[in-house]
Amino acid sequence: MKVLFVGDIVGNTGRSALKQVLPALRSKYNPHIIIVNGENAAAGRGITGAIAREFFEWGVHGITMGNHTWDNKDIFEWIDDEPRLVRPANFPPGAPGQGSALIKANGKSLGIINLQGRTFLPPIDCPFRAADELIADLKEKTPCILVDFHAEATSEKIAMGWYLDGRASIVVGTHTHVQTNDDTILPNGTAYLTDCGMVGSKEGVLGMERTAVEHRFLTQLPVRFVVDEGKWHFHALIADLDEQTGRANSITKIRLTEDEWLLM
């Protein structure tokens, strides 16, 4: 089974890049299941029902989220009715939505889990214990499981990779928006990448207009951040999984820019 995972999509710039690039990625890699992180898809903060539907129309099969899950009030109206979108499973009990899902497409089944780190982020429930519970449940349905760990600290992400080695097929980090160079297959068969990177403007700061960010650092005053409209870059990964065992056979980083992205 081939799984395409696309890093944090930031605002209109990121959505435009996804729409342009996705057909070519599907043609080149022929992924069976496509998952994207959409927590920054609406103006850099959260996602709307209209944007989620747009992603599904383009061929996306599942959407993961993160710490900006609740930034658009719109989400409370539809999250409980959309089984293809998952928010961090370790939000406290009572939060709407779900933290895991079984995605079925092209005759394949993939369990997806979304977790949020606690280092330098709000002190929510333990992501490691949440992973234990959800993986045990999904293993009864499929051996192939992807975990999107939306976390700030590299150490916390690496620890999660080792903790889930052999239990998850893919552990990929999101949130920091910079693709790391440590893609690997861990000893027990888990494909791991500390951060997948982002899809959005490469001319801003993590996808946001850089002048406002610079002003914030210089003055420490509140500043309204807006999505940068500059040329985009696109980060993702493609992993090949053994459907019988759930072990990863390979993991390949994808890095494209607006000026140089045509896939042969």
Side-chain angles (χ1 to χ4, degrees):
M1 180 199 312
K2 290 184 180 179
V3 176
L4 174 65
F5 180 84
V6 181
D8 306 58
I9 298 164
V10 182
N12 181 64
T13 307
R15 300 198 309 271
S16 175
L18 181 68
K19 185 176 183 180
Q20 291 177 59
V21 173
L22 198 53
L25 290 176
R26 295 174 69 183
S27 178
K28 178 171 182 174
Y29 295 106
N30 194 28
H32 298 100
I33 295 180
I34 301 170
I35 308 296
V36 305
N37 184 287
E39 74 124 19
N40 298 126
R45 291 183 174 273
I47 193 169
T48 66
I51 291 173
R53 290 190 294 273
E54 195 172 53
F55 286 171
F56 295 136
E57 289 170 2
W58 296 345
V60 170
H61 301 111
I63 301 172
T64 56
M65 296 293 286
N67 60 299
H68 289 298
T69 297
W70 313 119
D71 284 6
N72 268 278
K73 293 186 295 183
D74 163 90
I75 198 168
F76 292 98
E77 301 174 5
W78 57 272
I79 189 171
D80 284 326
D81 299 318
E82 181 45 76
R84 295 168 292 180
L85 181 140
V86 294
R87 46 78 173 162
N90 55 319
F91 282 163
Q98 58 185 352
S100 66
L102 183 67
I103 303 297
K104 296 184 177 182
N106 297 309
K108 312 294 182 181
S109 295
L110 177 72
I112 61 172
I113 296 172
N114 194 194
L115 300 168
Q116 183 172 307
R118 297 192 290 185
T119 305
F120 309 126
L121 285 171
I124 57 177
D125 295 347
C126 178
F128 293 84
R129 290 185 172 86
D132 289 339
E133 181 179 341
L134 293 171
I135 286 176
D137 178 65
L138 285 171
K139 283 289 188 181
E140 297 180 359
K141 304 168 186 174
T142 178
C144 297
I145 297 173
L146 178 150
V147 176
D148 173 357
F149 190 27
H150 198 80
E152 184 79 33
T154 298
S155 59
E156 193 176 14
K157 293 179 182 180
I158 293 173
M160 182 65 78
W162 285 110
Y163 187 68
L164 298 182
D165 182 25
R167 293 193 286 159
S169 306
I170 303 168
V171 176
V172 56
T174 55
H175 178 65
T176 55
H177 290 206
V178 178
Q179 189 178 78
T180 54
N181 197 35
D182 60 344
D183 50 308
T184 190
I185 306 292
L186 296 173
N188 292 314
T190 294
Y192 175 80
L193 181 62
T194 294
D195 201 281
C196 190
M198 60 167 278
V199 179
S201 172
K202 66 184 179 68
E203 300 177 356
V205 177
L206 304 183
M208 308 307 284
E209 199 281 319
R210 63 179 181 268
T211 302
V213 179
E214 291 168 356
H215 184 70
R216 172 67 178 272
F217 280 119
L218 285 166
T219 67
Q220 293 298 299
L221 294 173
V223 177
R224 180 174 178 268
F225 293 162
V226 297
V227 172
D228 191 78
E229 300 295 331
K231 292 185 176 181
W232 52 257
H233 56 176
F234 184 107
H235 298 90
L237 67 81
I238 185 84
D240 182 72
L241 309 180
D242 185 315
E243 292 180 73
Q244 302 303 314
T245 65
R247 293 174 65 98
N249 297 316
S250 66
I251 178 174
T252 303
K253 298 192 306 295
I254 298 170
R255 179 181 177 126
L256 308 170
T257 63
E258 185 169 353
D259 293 327
E260 301 176 354
W261 73 271
L262 294 180
L263 301 173
M264 303 302 291

